[in-house]
Amino acid sequence: MAIVNATTDSFAFSCSNICEAEILSMTAKAISEGADMIDVGACSTRPGSKPVSPEEEWRRLEMALRAIRNIYPDVILSVDTFRADIARKAVERFGVNIINDVSGGADEQMFPTVAELDTPYILMHSTPLPSDLPVSVAVLDFFVRQSDVLHRLGVKDVIADPGFGFNKTEEQNYQLLAHLSDLLHADLPLLVGVSRKSMFYKPLQTTPDSEAALAATIAANTLALGAGAKILRVHDVQAAKAAITVVTKTV
């Protein structure tokens, strides 16, 4: 899953303003390097960032989704949003295939909307962790409870994202990575998104766009694949595909 962000504060975005040319350039590069799907987001969810208004999020998404669909009508598209009304418009107007919700259903209309649209849903853990449970146990409990609600509503395809970096300390992120296979007990496909995150570049005293951050990402992705991850959400498709090829040859 290749990340294509229509946000000016993304390190991977070179335009000072969000532009169609940059969106198409990132998409073309991802597809040429072997991306299986494109995840488009238009509202930054980085720690400390302030979400844009629903109107601005949709303005950006509409531009990006229309541009991609015009050139790549058959590509599998995921939309990265925590707003149910945005998710609905993306699916109904542009045939978006997957809803990627970093909030794990904080919008009370999200689960019913996904059920009505009959769309695969990425359920991310991003809520504060309890202090009395190991990280992997708390995240697993979240997936079991929330996926049960989704299944009861009729959602057939639920994908679990542990939410690295979301309401987790650096230590908790690494504990979660070390015990990632515990999450397979939820019986959900596992998506891992650790691409160039602060859990790598801060202890390495570097920046997200550095070669060191990429190397750390590749190492973590390799560990995640070995623990049973089925989808890698990445900025660097070619490197991720190489990791997948190598890991696949060892199992």
Side-chain angles (χ1 to χ4, degrees):
M1 174 180 277
I3 300 167
V4 173
N5 283 329
T7 56
T8 55
D9 57 354
S10 169
F11 80 88
F13 206 88
S14 61
C15 286
S16 57
N17 293 306
I18 300 159
C19 57
E20 183 178 308
E22 182 79 356
I23 294 293
L24 289 177
S25 175
M26 289 190 290
T27 302
K29 184 175 187 292
I31 291 174
S32 70
E33 292 181 354
D36 298 300
M37 61 194 86
I38 305 295
D39 187 49
V40 185
C43 180
S44 179
T45 53
R46 294 188 310 173
S49 63
K50 182 179 180 181
V52 296
S53 68
E55 293 77 17
E56 177 62 13
E57 181 185 5
W58 178 245
R59 185 189 70 80
R60 297 175 179 182
L61 268 180
E62 186 176 33
M63 178 274 294
L65 294 173
R66 178 179 289 112
I68 295 170
R69 273 286 181 244
N70 283 343
I71 305 298
Y72 305 101
D74 299 321
V75 70
I76 297 174
L77 281 179
S78 166
V79 66
D80 181 356
T81 185
F82 55 86
R83 292 166 168 146
D85 60 334
I86 298 286
R88 177 181 293 280
K89 286 191 284 191
V91 173
E92 292 180 343
R93 301 187 190 183
F94 296 102
V96 163
N97 308 93
I98 303 168
I99 302 303
N100 181 13
D101 178 11
V102 300
S103 76
D107 184 334
E108 62 181 17
Q109 293 303 311
M110 183 63 85
F111 286 8
T113 297
V114 172
E116 181 184 341
L117 294 171
D118 194 25
T119 306
Y121 176 71
I122 299 172
L123 173 69
M124 180 191 281
H125 177 275
S126 59
T127 56
L129 288 162
S131 59
D132 58 339
L133 289 175
V135 178
S136 62
V137 174
V139 175
L140 174 61
D141 178 67
F142 170 84
F143 286 146
V144 170
R145 288 185 291 102
Q146 294 294 80
S147 64
D148 182 63
V149 174
L150 285 158
H151 289 146
R152 288 176 184 273
L153 287 170
V155 180
K156 303 181 189 72
D157 299 307
V158 180
I159 300 162
D161 180 347
F164 285 94
F166 286 80
N167 266 313
K168 298 172 184 70
T169 65
E170 182 180 301
E171 181 182 358
Q172 289 171 332
N173 284 320
Y174 280 100
Q175 289 174 355
L176 188 56
L177 184 60
H179 297 278
L180 196 62
S181 61
D182 293 353
L183 304 184
L184 300 179
H185 292 294
D187 199 26
L188 301 171
L190 190 61
L191 178 151
V192 169
V194 292
S195 185
R196 297 179 178 268
K197 289 200 168 181
S198 63
M199 63 183 284
F200 306 133
Y201 68 78
K202 284 186 177 179
L204 294 173
Q205 298 183 349
T206 185
T207 57
D209 58 344
S210 68
E211 287 298 313
L214 173 58
T217 298
I218 296 169
N221 280 337
T222 303
L223 291 171
L225 291 166
K230 298 298 184 185
I231 302 172
L232 299 177
R233 183 178 181 272
V234 300
H235 297 94
D236 307 277
V237 174
Q238 190 173 54
K241 293 288 284 191
I244 292 168
T245 298
V246 171
V247 172
T248 301
K249 286 183 177 295
T250 66
V251 294

